[in-house]
Structures are given as structure tokens and as C-alpha cells.
Amino acid sequence: MKLRTLLVVGSLALAVLGLTLTNAQSTTQNQTIAQIVATNPNFSTLLAAVQAAGLVETLSGPGPFTVFAPTNAAFAKIPKADLDKLLADKAALTKVLTYHVVAGRVPSSQVVTLKEAKTVQGQSVTIEVKDGKVILNGNSTVTVVDIQASNGIIHVIDTVLLPK
């Protein structure tokens, strides 16, 4: 009985997260990617990372960019000591964050046709579709797609992407 309750509560929590992110889509077209990240509580760790790396101005610029945006839960998968170390190392943090960004607008309808996408960091992210889900680098699932910003598109992911 406890496991069932836990599964129901977990499902509801995921549904609320999805609704929060999905409902935001209709009101974001006049906001930049940086503004969307700053105003959505599910991206507070991403916001702290973007600020620490000095990338707020870039993500407020004209773009266009496609950002694979990890949620707080995605960052929580990284051990705290490792995350703290990453946040304190601007060069390493910039490398990780720019690995989440693709130049141009790449809507989900195009993402699903790609095998990989070159990031602004310089390396490519692998893309595959499995059981109707888009998987990046074999371990990060796209959970929300096509959040439109004035300077690009955000696709939400459940695991932080780490460059090789």
C-alpha cells in the first residue's frame, strides 16, 4: 500500500511539474530565454548556474538559440559536492552550459529527425527517439518541448548533459 501511495504522489508531482512548464508556454513568446529561466521556479538551479557563468546577457540576446534546459531535479542528480565544485569553476560551468545550447531555432518536429546536433560549446549531442521519447546522449529525456521565447526555443530535459 505504501508503494502504491508513493507512486501516486510521485505521478501527481510529475504532472504538476509538467503542467507548470506547459502552461508557461502560452505566455513566454515575448520573453527571452533568460527571462523564462529566471521566472520559472523549476529552473532556479539553472538560473544560478547561468548567472555564475556570466551567460545571462547571452541568453537575453537576439539569438536565436535552442536550449535543452535541465530542471532542478536534473541538477539534483549530480552529487552536491560535484555540483558545488562545478558552480565554482566558471570555465568548466560555461563548457557544460554551452553544451546545452544549439544555434538557431530547432523545434521538436525537427529534433526528432536528427541523429545529433552541434552545440555552441563545439561538441555534438546525440539524439535518438525511443518509445516515442527523445533521448539525448543516451540518458537525458526531453520532458517538455517547444517553449517559445522571443530569442529561441526551450526543450526541458531531466538530466544534465555533460560534454566529453
Side-chain angles (χ1 to χ4, degrees):
M1 185 67 172
K2 287 183 180 182
L3 179 59
R4 183 178 177 169
T5 302
L6 183 61
L7 289 172
V8 169
V9 170
S11 296
L12 289 172
L14 288 173
V16 168
L17 175 63
L19 288 174
T20 301
L21 293 171
T22 303
N23 289 343
Q25 291 178 15
S26 61
T27 60
T28 60
Q29 291 181 353
N30 294 324
Q31 295 179 310
T32 65
I33 292 168
Q35 289 170 324
I36 293 167
V37 168
T39 58
N40 189 315
N42 295 304
F43 295 133
S44 61
T45 307
L46 177 58
L47 175 62
V50 167
Q51 290 171 334
L55 294 173
V56 173
E57 189 174 320
T58 300
L59 293 178
S60 297
F65 307 107
T66 297
V67 176
F68 294 103
T71 61
N72 294 342
F75 279 102
K77 293 179 180 180
I78 299 173
K80 183 174 177 2
D82 293 342
L83 181 58
D84 290 345
K85 183 179 176 183
L86 179 63
L87 291 171
D89 183 341
K90 186 175 179 178
L93 183 59
T94 300
K95 184 176 179 178
V96 168
L97 291 175
T98 56
Y99 188 62
H100 288 77
V101 181
V102 174
R105 285 183 183 268
V106 187
S108 60
S109 60
Q110 185 178 350
V111 170
V112 297
T113 68
L114 302 173
K115 296 291 182 202
E116 66 180 26
K118 186 169 183 174
T119 69
V120 298
Q121 179 266 350
Q123 295 179 25
S124 293
V125 171
T126 62
I127 302 168
E128 60 184 319
V129 179
K130 282 187 182 176
D131 301 322
K133 296 179 181 179
V134 175
I135 310 294
L136 306 177
N137 287 353
N139 68 345
S140 184
T141 302
V142 177
T143 58
V144 178
V145 298
D146 297 333
I147 299 174
Q148 299 295 321
S150 61
N151 63 342
I153 297 175
I154 298 172
H155 302 300
V156 181
I157 57 175
D158 70 351
T159 304
V160 175
L161 302 170
L162 298 173
K164 299 168 185 108

